[in-house]
Amino acid sequence: VTARRQFANLGYEGTTIRGIAKEAGVDPALVHHFFGSKKELFASVTTFPFELEEAMPRIIEGPRSELGRRLAEWALGVLEDPESREAINGIVRAGVSDQGAADASRELVTAEVLVPIAKGIDADEPELRASLINAQLVGLIVARYIVAVEPLASLPAERVIDAISPSLQRYLTRPLRPSQSNTRKPHTT
Amino acid sequence: VTARRQFANLGYEGTTIRGIAKEAGVDPALVHHFFGSKKELFASVTTFPFELEEAMPRIIEGPRSELGRRLAEWALGVLEDPESREAINGIVRAGVSDQGAADASRELVTAEVLVPIAKGIDADEPELRASLINAQLVGLIVARYIVAVEPLASLPAERVIDAISPSLQRYLTRPLRPSQSNTRKPHTT
C-alpha cells in the first residue's frame, strides 16, 4: 500500500525502494528481497487494486452487441473507485513521464484484459483492437480524471458509459478499415 | 523554439524562464518582458506549431458524413509532423504531470478547434462532444506516440485514420445517449 501510494504521489522517478522501506519501517534489503527491482515492484503494486483476471470472462459473457457497454461499465467501475483510480492515475502519469514506467505499464491492461477479450470473441487483429481500446481508455483517464477537461470531468459515470460504449463496441467488433462500398479513393499505405 | 524544446524535454516543472534565457543567450528579464509568466510563455509556445484557426473551417467544409475523417486526417497530419508532434507530446506530458500546465493546456485544442467545430455543425452539447474528442485524441497521443503501445505505435497513419474516424464521427454527430428503442433498462443518472 505504501509503495502504491508513493508511486501515485511521487511518480515512478520520484519513488525509491529506500523511501518505500523507510515509510513502511522496514529494511530496504527486505523490500528488494520480496519484490525485486523497482520495475518489478511497480509491476506488482499496479496489478493490485482490481482483479484483472476476473474482468475478461465477465465482459465476454452476454450479448455480443453489448460487449462495448460491458467493457465500458467495467472500466468506469474501476475508475470511479477512488482507490483503484488513484493507482491507475499513477500508472498513467508514470507511463507518460518516464520511459522505464512506460515499459512496465504498457502491457498491463492491454495484455491482461484487452487482448484476451479481443481473442475471446475471435476478432481479427486482436492486438490492434486492444491497443485502440487502450488509447480510448487512457484518453478518458487523462481527460476526465487527470487534466479534468469539462464537461467530461463532471459528467455522471452512466453518461460516460453511454458516450464511449459504441466506440469500444466498434473497436472490438466492427471492421477497422473502410468498407469496399465506400466511395473514397483507395488509400495507399 | 528554445522554450518549446525545453518544455518538451524537461516538462513544465523542469523548465524555467532563467534556463530558457540562458540557452537562448538573452537576459531572463527580456524573456519576462516579452512573454510574461512561465504559464503565459507555455501558452504561447504551445500554440505555435500549427495554425489552429485554419483547421476549423477546413474540417467543417465538405460532406457531413465525413466530418470524422476530416478531423482524423487533420489530427494525424499534425501528429505525424515531427516538430508539431514534439510540441504536442510536451503539452500532454506537462498536462499530465503538473496542475499548472494542465490549467494552461486543458482548453487549448478543445476550446480553439473542437468546440468551434461542434458548434459549427449545430451539434447538441458541443462542449461535451469536444471533450470526448479531446479524450480520444489525447489517448491516441499517449498510446501511439508517448507510451508506444503496439501495434498502434507502428501502424501506418492511414490505418489510424481509418480506425478512429468513425469514433470521431460519432462523437461529433450521433446521439450521445442510447436510443429509446434500446431494450436495456433506463439509466438513472
Side-chain angles (χ1 to χ4, degrees), chain A residues 17-18 43 68 76 93 98-100 104 117 119 121 124 144 154 174:
Chain A
I17 298 262
R18 189 176 297 276
L76 267 287
R93 277 206 173 89
D98 181 275
Q99 198 55 48
I117 290 173
K119 286 186 170 165
I121 62 169
D124 63 319
R144 177 171 165 92
S154 31
R174 310 268 166 77

Side-chain angles (χ1 to χ4, degrees), chain B residues 112-127:
Chain B
E112 295 198 31
V113 180
L114 302 177
V115 171
I117 290 172
K119 287 187 172 166
I121 61 167
D122 283 326
D124 63 321
E125 304 191 274
E127 289 84 6

Side-chain angles (χ1 to χ4, degrees), chain A residues 106 125 136 147 159 163 170, chain B residues 106 125 147 163 170-171:
Chain A
R106 185 185 298 143
E125 302 192 276
Q136 172 67 79
V147 176
R159 286 216 60 202
R170 205 182 59 79
Chain B
R106 184 185 300 143
E125 304 191 274
V147 177
R170 206 183 58 81
Y171 290 137

Side-chain angles (χ1 to χ4, degrees), chain B residues 37-54:
Chain B
S37 68
K38 182 164 82 162
K39 189 166 165 178
E40 288 165 325
L41 177 60
F42 182 76
S44 70
V45 300
T46 53
T47 53
F48 256 20
F50 48 98
E51 297 299 328
L52 288 172
E53 314 78 47
E54 289 178 10

Side-chain angles (χ1 to χ4, degrees), chain A residues 140-157:
Chain A
L140 178 71
I141 292 164
V142 171
R144 177 171 165 92
Y145 302 103
I146 297 180
V147 176
V149 177
E150 292 293 357
L152 181 58
S154 31
L155 201 67

Side-chain angles (χ1 to χ4, degrees), chain A:
Chain A
V1 174
T2 304
R4 203 191 312 157
R5 194 162 37 70
Q6 288 208 4
F7 278 122
N9 293 341
L10 305 175
Y12 187 83
E13 275 301 309
T15 300
T16 60
I17 298 262
R18 189 176 297 276
I20 291 166
K22 191 179 171 192
E23 194 181 320
V26 300
D27 190 293
L30 205 69
V31 179
H32 263 301
H33 177 74
F34 281 109
F35 295 101
S37 70
K38 180 164 85 162
K39 189 165 165 178
E40 286 164 327
L41 178 60
F42 182 77
S44 70
V45 300
T46 53
T47 54
F48 256 21
F50 48 98
E51 297 301 327
L52 288 171
E53 314 78 46
E54 290 178 10
M56 197 278 257
R58 270 172 35 210
I59 292 165
I60 287 191
E61 270 172 38
R64 191 180 168 92
S65 63
E66 298 206 344
L67 273 167
R69 172 165 289 272
R70 289 195 296 278
L71 177 54
E73 284 172 346
W74 170 75
L76 267 287
V78 169
L79 291 168
E80 295 291 310
D81 174 74
E83 193 191 358
S84 52
R85 173 169 64 222
E86 189 188 331
I88 289 167
N89 286 359
I91 299 173
V92 172
R93 277 206 173 89
V96 166
S97 58
D98 181 275
Q99 198 55 48
D103 293 341
S105 68
R106 185 185 298 143
E107 301 299 326
L108 192 65
V109 169
T110 306
E112 295 199 29
V113 180
L114 302 177
V115 172
I117 290 173
K119 286 186 170 165
I121 62 169
D122 283 326
D124 63 319
E125 302 192 276
E127 290 83 6
L128 176 57
R129 291 175 187 279
S131 60
L132 287 164
I133 293 167
N134 174 302
Q136 172 67 79
L137 294 179
V138 165
L140 178 71
I141 292 164
V142 171
R144 177 171 165 92
Y145 302 103
I146 297 180
V147 176
V149 177
E150 292 293 357
L152 181 58
S154 31
L155 201 67
E158 267 301 327
R159 286 216 60 202
V160 178
I161 293 170
D162 289 346
I164 69 168
S165 291
S167 297
L168 299 182
Q169 179 75 19
R170 205 182 59 79
Y171 290 137
L172 278 172
T173 65
R174 310 268 166 77
L176 295 177
R177 301 172 192 255
S179 61
Q180 295 296 324
S181 63
N182 195 313
T183 54
R184 289 177 55 85
K185 63 181 190 305
H187 299 294
T188 54
T189 51

